Amino acid sequence: MYLHNIFTRTHSLCKCHFVRKISAQITERKFDNRKYQYDLLVIGGGSGGLACAKETALLGRKVAVLDYVDPSARGTTWGLGGTCVNVGCIPKKLYHQAALLGKAIKDSKSYGWNFDESKIIHDWGTLKDAILGHVRSLNWGHRVQLKQKNVDYFNAKGSFITRNEVEILHKTGKKENFSAENIVIAVGGRPKYPDIPGALEYGITSDDVFSLEKPPGKTLVVGGSYVALECAGFLTGLGFDTTVMVRSICLRGFDQQMATLIANHMANDGTKFLHGCIPLKIEKAADLLTVKWESKDKQLHEDTFNTVLFAIGREAYTKNLGLEKIGVEFHPDSRKIVGQNEQTSVPNIYAIGDVLLGKPELTPVAIKAGRLLSHRLFGGSTQEMDYENVATTVFTPLEYGCVGLSEEEAIHRFGDNQIEVYHAFYKPLEFSLPQKDASQCYIKAIVSKTNKKIVGLHFLGPSAGEVIQGYSTALRCGFTLEHLQQTVGIHPTCAEEIVKLNITKASGLDPTVTGC
């Protein structure tokens, strides 16, 4: 019996070894017969590129990801995960939360908490190190996930040789060529600098602000973008003297009534604004930066700052990809890629995320588009990405969440007499005891008169992102004013004020909410 068992086990082991050997030979032969090394090659290791790569690997295809971060003008670099993880959404939200906590400490006195305010000191280094530590854990997590899903990862640059071949440049300087049946461009974008003396030499961008070794001190933020206002908001909240220089309008592309309310709230909160101003020059003397600018009345001004942060927009990081060589069409100014359903002008080359012309520059958009693209290429799906009615939130001190059309867009699309705007000013209960200013807490729903569908919803107030997420689902499902007004609110919350909307702008009645 003992000898029989030994023989049986030995036979089984040999059989398993034989099967594995045959299987390996079959796999090897299959690989040898491949026309290309990879089914999919992704250039760019941001949220969209990683999502597309991992999804494709789960579908059983051979995938590689190339990701390399060129240092910023200030020498800042980071790890795998793209803008959102490293120098965007994640650190931004954590700095924003730090600023909110500082205000909450002060508000807590109204709720009976007693403490010596002179002993409350914020330490920039502690916050910076904690956030960078969290970001590095996310970098590592992405690398582990790629390994687990058998995605080949290369910390290297890629540029096109042909529509199916890419030259890889490693950190060591070594070059090699990879081939792929399909290639996805997901390199995202980088902040722009103005073409003025001293900007590149002395200015920073959002690529740098989250990892500054020293506190930024007195700061000038140049730009009216959401990045500009978010950075200015948390810098003010952390106690730094902060000024925003705006050339024209704040939050271009967003609802302008909401943008004005946001800027007013920030001004009331301590952020200074220079409207209609253009920077001309930055000079450095010792540790101070002298900024010279021109105001809209053509007068010249100057002031000194410790830090100048540019947030004047971003451009697609495609200049070194060799797109011209293979005929991929792109916009000459923004260098964003022209595409239809993520497919470029070259049929086997695709683009997702911030690099794609005319699409929302939002992480969840890139992730969803990447996954859907993977399933269309390799999973037999026909589902396309729907870029309409995507919700977003601007994390200014008073948060702004929106989904659907702005009032300006709705008027342009339907006509001024074909929409009705329901609105309300409200006071969050949390603002009551500290007697905080709630004059900018505002909600509006834009309604089509034709079918009473809500085509745009805008919320300015605490936790706007959490509030607008659920309503975005309802809007995508085609909910109407009747659906909204028949919904029972959760009391006492800020979100319930949305379902209580009943006053129109056209009526001229006071939309201020009073009592319960």
Side-chain angles (χ1 to χ4, degrees), residues 12 14 113 159 210 222 249 252 275 320 341 397 413 418 446 495:
S12 297
C14 291
W113 292 96
S159 59
F210 303 113
V222 180
I249 61 173
R252 185 179 301 278
H275 290 283
N320 296 319
N341 297 329
R413 184 175 297 189
Q418 291 302 310
I446 302 164

Side-chain angles (χ1 to χ4, degrees), residues 120-229:
I120 299 175
I121 301 171
H122 182 265
D123 186 82
W124 174 271
T126 299
L127 176 62
K128 183 259 299 178
D129 290 344
I131 291 175
L132 288 182
H134 176 66
V135 167
R136 290 187 189 106
S137 74
L138 298 178
N139 298 149
W140 178 249
H142 281 307
R143 295 192 68 164
V144 169
Q145 288 175 20
L146 291 180
K147 183 74 173 175
Q148 290 173 338
K149 292 176 172 60
N150 296 316
V151 176
D152 292 342
Y153 163 63
F154 301 93
N155 183 206
K157 298 181 182 182
S159 59
F160 286 97
I161 302 170
T162 69
R163 55 182 284 178
N164 294 104
E165 290 181 287
V166 172
E167 180 183 80
I168 311 302
L169 176 61
H170 295 271
K171 290 177 69 174
T172 60
K174 174 188 172 185
K175 293 182 179 180
E176 58 182 319
N177 295 348
F178 286 172
S179 64
E181 183 177 1
N182 298 282
I183 299 174
V184 170
I185 301 169
V187 294
R190 297 291 288 267
K192 294 192 289 190
Y193 279 86
D195 186 16
I196 62 171
L200 271 172
E201 293 86 350
Y202 308 124
I204 67 169
T205 68
S206 56
D207 281 356
D208 312 292
V209 68
F210 303 113
S211 56
L212 291 175
E213 288 298 324
K214 296 193 304 182
K218 183 182 177 183
T219 302
L220 174 67
V221 178
V222 180
S225 65
Y226 74 90
V227 175
L229 298 191

Side-chain angles (χ1 to χ4, degrees), residues 83 88-89 92 206 221 223-234 249-252 254 262 266 311-314 354 360-363 392-396 400:
T83 297
C89 317
K92 176 269 303 289
S206 56
V221 178
S225 65
Y226 74 90
V227 175
L229 298 191
E230 288 177 338
C231 289
F234 71 67
I249 61 173
C250 291
L251 297 179
R252 185 179 301 278
F254 288 88
I262 290 168
M266 290 180 65
I312 59 173
R314 300 171 67 85
D354 295 1
E361 296 182 8
L362 299 168
T363 296
T392 191
T393 294
V394 179
F395 290 98
T396 39
Y400 167 42

Side-chain angles (χ1 to χ4, degrees), residues 26-34 36-37 62:
I26 292 171
T27 303
E28 186 177 351
R29 283 200 299 271
K30 184 179 178 183
F31 181 80
D32 287 343
N33 289 334
R34 285 178 184 273
Y36 305 106
Q37 289 168 275
K62 189 167 178 60

Side-chain angles (χ1 to χ4, degrees), residues 305-496:
F305 301 89
N306 301 109
T307 302
V308 177
L309 190 159
F310 292 106
I312 59 173
R314 300 171 67 85
E315 64 182 0
Y317 207 59
T318 57
K319 60 183 177 182
N320 296 319
L321 291 180
L323 300 182
E324 298 91 340
K325 187 186 301 183
I326 58 169
V328 171
E329 185 181 353
F330 60 89
H331 191 278
D333 295 327
S334 68
R335 295 198 63 88
K336 288 191 173 221
I337 294 172
V338 178
Q340 181 70 29
N341 297 329
E342 294 78 52
Q343 188 175 46
T344 73
S345 53
V346 178
N348 71 303
I349 297 175
Y350 301 83
I352 56 175
D354 295 1
V355 78
L356 198 53
L357 183 66
K359 300 298 185 286
E361 296 182 8
L362 299 168
T363 296
V365 168
I367 291 172
K368 192 168 189 66
R371 288 174 177 162
L372 290 174
L373 173 61
S374 173
H375 282 274
R376 291 201 305 277
L377 290 176
F378 305 108
S381 173
T382 58
Q383 185 179 357
E384 298 173 357
M385 177 65 191
D386 182 2
Y387 291 98
E388 290 290 315
N389 295 325
V390 175
T392 191
T393 294
V394 179
F395 290 98
T396 39
L398 193 63
E399 297 176 7
Y400 167 42
C402 60
V403 61
L405 302 177
S406 67
E407 190 170 345
E408 293 84 0
E409 289 172 327
I411 291 171
H412 177 73
R413 184 175 297 189
F414 301 112
D416 195 6
N417 61 345
Q418 291 302 310
I419 64 165
E420 195 78 78
V421 177
Y422 289 77
H423 66 153
F425 285 95
Y426 68 101
K427 185 169 187 175
L429 182 62
E430 298 88 340
F431 283 24
S432 300
L433 297 190
Q435 290 299 306
K436 294 174 67 173
D437 178 24
S439 58
Q440 284 85 34
C441 292
Y442 180 71
I443 303 164
K444 70 176 172 182
I446 302 164
V447 181
S448 166
K449 286 184 178 179
T450 304
N451 52 22
K452 298 299 181 182
K453 279 189 177 181
I454 295 175
V455 297
L457 190 61
H458 302 262
F459 177 92
L460 186 57
S463 303
E466 310 300 335
V467 171
I468 210 70
Q469 182 68 78
Y471 285 106
S472 69
T473 300
L475 190 141
R476 289 183 62 82
C477 291
F479 82 140
T480 64
L481 179 65
E482 183 181 8
H483 290 138
L484 185 71
Q485 293 178 336
Q486 287 185 353
T487 300
V488 177
I490 301 171
H491 187 68
T493 65
C494 296
E496 74 170 315

Side-chain angles (χ1 to χ4, degrees), residues 198 201-202 281-291 305-306:
E201 293 86 350
Y202 308 124
K281 188 177 186 179
I282 303 176
E283 297 173 336
K284 185 173 184 179
D287 291 331
L288 289 177
L289 301 175
T290 299
V291 180
F305 301 89
N306 301 109

